[in-house]
Amino acid sequence: MATRTTTTRTTRSALAPSADLFAGLECHADFLFEDLVQAYFDCRKAKRTSNSALAFEINLERNLHQLDQELREGTYRPGPSICFVVTHPKPREVWAAQFRDRIVHHLLYNHIAPRFHARFIADSCACIPGRGTHYGARRLEAKIRSLTENWQHRAWYLKCDLANFFVSIDKRILHQQLVKHIPEPWWRELATQILFHDPRQNHEIRGDRTLLDQVPPHKRLTNHPPHLGLPIGNLSSQFFANVYLNALDQHIKHKLRARHYIRYVDDFTLLHRDPAWLNQAHQQIDTWLPQHLSAQLNPKKTVLQPVDRGVDFAGQVIKPWRRTVRRRAVRHACQRIATVPAHQVTATANSYFGQFRQASHSKRDRQRLAKAVFSRGRAVNKHLTQVHGRHK
C-alpha cells in the first residue's frame, strides 16, 4: 500500500541556486513543440505499460500542450517523486520522477547532451549512446590485450570505486560544470531547476516500508544535506553524474597521463605494467578527489592485482583470451527465472540471454539459464539465445 510522505527541508545551502524556474529572469523558451513530442516518445520507450505513462496517454494532446504552456510561461514545477527500495545487488533507494517530469528531463537531455558528449573521453561509459556494458567490457579487453601484447607480458590493474557516489555528489560543483557549457538562459535555468529540485520535500513511498531499514543510513538521500546527492532512478541523474566525473576522466588522462583507463559510472580501472606506477596514481587520485569533487574513494573496493587473475568490469570478467559473465550475475538470473510470475518468464529470460550473449565465452552460463527456463515450462532455441514458448 502506498504511503504519501511530505518532508520539510530544515537546512538550506546558501550557495545553492533556487530551484524555481526563471526566478525573475526574462528567458525565451527556444524549443519547438515537436521537440517536446520527441521527448515524450523517448520517455515512453521503456515505460509504455507503466501506470503513469498510461495515465498521461489518456489525454495525451491536452497533457502535452499543458506541459508546453507551463514551460514557456515559467510556471512549470516538478511534481511529487516516488521512492522505493530495490534489493539487488544490494538494498538502495530509488527516486522516480513523475512521467511528465521525465519528459522534461528528456527534453533537456536531447538539447544539451550532445555538446557534453563531445567533450567526454572515449573511455567514459554508461548513459552515453553506444557505450553500454558491452562497449565497456570489450574496450577494456582491447586495452589489456594491447598492453600485454596479447597476454605475452604481465600487467597489473588498479580498480577503484567512489564511496557513496550518488548521495555525495555536490550539486554546487555540478552546477558550475553545467552552466559553463549552457550559454542559453532558458536552458540554463531549466537545468538548474532539475538539478536543485529536492524530491524529499514531496514524495510517495511505495512497496514495503521496512525495506528502507535495510538501506545503510549513509546511503540514504534523506540523511544528507540539500546540496548533496542526486536521486537514483532518473535520466537526468545519470547524465549529470557523467558530467560530474568528466573532470576525473580529464585529470587521469591528461594530468596523470594514464594511457589505459576506462570508467563505467563511478567504477574505473587503470592498467600498467608497473604496479608501483599504479600505486602512485592511486595516491594522487585519492588526494585530488576531495579537493576538486568533494568525493572519496571506497578503500574496501580498491583492488590492485595482475590482469591475468581476471578483471571484473561492467558485469563481465576479462581473463586471458575470454570474457565471461560475472558469477553472481548468473546465480541471480537463475534465481529470478525460478521465481518470477509465469507471464514474465519469457521476457525476463530473453533479457538475460541478450545480456549473456555479450560475453565471448558464455555458453555454459546460457546452459544454466536454459535449464532454469526449461523448468518453468518454456523452450529455448538450439543456440541458447532466445526463449520461444512452452515445451511439450
Side-chain angles (χ1 to χ4, degrees):
M1 182 175 179
T3 304
R4 197 174 187 79
T5 304
T6 301
T7 304
T8 303
R9 179 183 291 181
T10 57
T11 60
R12 184 181 181 89
S13 171
L15 297 179
S18 169
D20 292 335
L21 190 61
F22 312 138
L25 296 177
E26 292 292 335
C27 298
H28 174 63
D30 55 342
F31 70 92
L32 301 175
F33 184 74
E34 289 81 358
D35 298 328
L36 189 64
V37 174
Q38 183 60 54
Y40 158 73
F41 282 118
D42 293 340
C43 184
R44 78 170 190 174
K45 283 181 180 178
K47 301 289 181 181
R48 187 70 186 270
T49 59
S50 66
N51 292 334
S52 58
L54 294 173
F56 193 89
E57 285 189 359
I58 291 176
N59 295 293
L60 178 60
E61 185 175 355
R62 185 185 68 180
N63 288 333
L64 283 175
H65 277 286
Q66 176 66 30
L67 184 57
D68 179 76
Q69 182 179 6
E70 292 179 15
L71 288 168
R72 296 185 186 280
E73 295 179 351
T75 59
Y76 166 75
R77 299 292 182 274
S81 296
I82 298 171
C83 177
F84 58 95
V85 176
V86 295
T87 56
H88 179 79
K90 53 188 175 183
R92 63 177 179 174
E93 286 181 330
V94 176
W95 297 80
Q98 289 188 349
F99 186 78
R100 73 192 306 266
D101 296 327
R102 289 175 175 266
I103 296 176
V104 178
H105 296 172
H106 279 271
L107 179 68
L108 175 68
Y109 176 84
N110 290 344
H111 183 77
I112 70 172
R115 70 187 66 172
F116 284 94
H117 290 167
R119 292 178 171 87
F120 292 165
I121 65 173
D123 299 310
S124 173
C125 312
C127 198
I128 301 175
R131 300 194 202 173
T133 55
H134 188 39
Y135 173 91
R138 291 188 62 182
R139 191 165 179 85
L140 179 56
E141 181 184 36
K143 289 177 177 294
I144 294 175
R145 295 181 65 172
S146 173
L147 180 62
T148 61
E149 297 183 4
N150 281 334
W151 305 99
Q152 294 184 67
H153 302 283
R154 200 175 198 197
W156 298 68
Y157 75 94
L158 171 67
K159 182 180 178 182
C160 299
D161 187 281
L162 298 186
N164 311 317
F165 174 56
F166 273 94
V167 295
S168 63
I169 291 177
D170 193 321
K171 296 180 182 179
R172 300 167 299 185
I173 297 175
L174 178 54
H175 182 254
Q176 294 174 1
Q177 296 172 327
L178 286 169
V179 299
K180 182 179 179 181
H181 301 294
I182 308 179
E184 310 94 324
W186 189 87
W187 292 102
R188 187 189 307 138
E189 291 300 317
L190 181 60
T192 298
Q193 182 189 44
I194 294 174
L195 172 62
F196 285 101
H197 170 65
D198 189 350
R200 301 170 300 178
Q201 292 184 339
N202 187 12
H203 66 275
E204 175 184 340
I205 299 178
R206 290 189 180 177
D208 187 355
R209 291 177 58 92
T210 61
L211 292 177
L212 289 170
D213 297 331
Q214 298 183 20
V215 181
H218 62 279
K219 291 184 177 294
R220 295 194 60 186
L221 188 63
T222 51
N223 294 333
H224 291 266
H227 70 280
L228 292 182
L230 294 179
I232 299 176
N234 296 330
L235 170 67
S236 58
S237 297
Q238 300 173 42
F239 170 66
F240 288 161
N242 267 339
V243 174
Y244 194 68
L245 288 184
N246 181 53
L248 173 64
D249 297 338
Q250 301 294 339
H251 175 73
I252 292 177
K253 292 292 288 187
H254 301 298
K255 298 298 182 180
L256 301 186
R257 298 188 178 279
R259 292 186 57 191
H260 303 285
Y261 162 81
I262 193 168
R263 177 179 62 81
Y264 188 88
V265 193
D266 63 324
D267 183 356
F268 59 93
T269 299
L270 293 85
L271 307 171
H272 206 277
R273 289 189 182 181
D274 184 2
W277 187 94
L278 291 174
N279 262 320
Q280 184 178 7
H282 173 258
Q283 295 174 5
Q284 293 177 346
I285 295 171
D286 198 31
T287 302
W288 185 89
L289 279 169
Q291 296 176 353
H292 295 84
L293 293 181
S294 296
Q296 293 182 340
L297 295 177
N298 186 342
K300 295 182 179 179
K301 294 187 178 181
T302 300
V303 179
L304 177 60
Q305 290 191 81
V307 295
D308 54 12
R309 292 187 182 179
V311 185
D312 189 335
F313 185 77
Q316 297 185 29
V317 180
I318 295 94
K319 298 180 180 179
W321 305 107
R322 65 191 188 277
R323 282 182 289 108
T324 60
V325 182
R326 182 185 295 166
R327 299 294 89 197
R328 185 175 61 185
V330 177
R331 290 195 301 269
H332 174 75
C334 294
Q335 292 171 359
R336 191 173 180 205
I337 292 298
T339 57
V340 295
H343 67 279
Q344 296 180 8
V345 170
T346 299
T348 302
N350 282 334
S351 176
Y352 281 121
F353 276 123
Q355 177 185 344
F356 287 7
R357 286 172 59 190
Q358 295 180 0
S360 62
H361 290 67
S362 63
K363 185 174 181 180
R364 289 186 178 180
D365 299 327
R366 287 183 281 124
Q367 287 175 340
R368 288 185 57 186
L369 187 62
K371 290 181 180 180
V373 171
F374 190 79
S375 68
R376 295 300 304 272
R378 301 296 191 277
V380 181
N381 66 358
K382 66 178 182 179
H383 300 295
L384 304 177
T385 58
Q386 187 177 9
V387 178
H388 286 305
R390 291 184 177 276
H391 68 74
K392 296 181 179 180

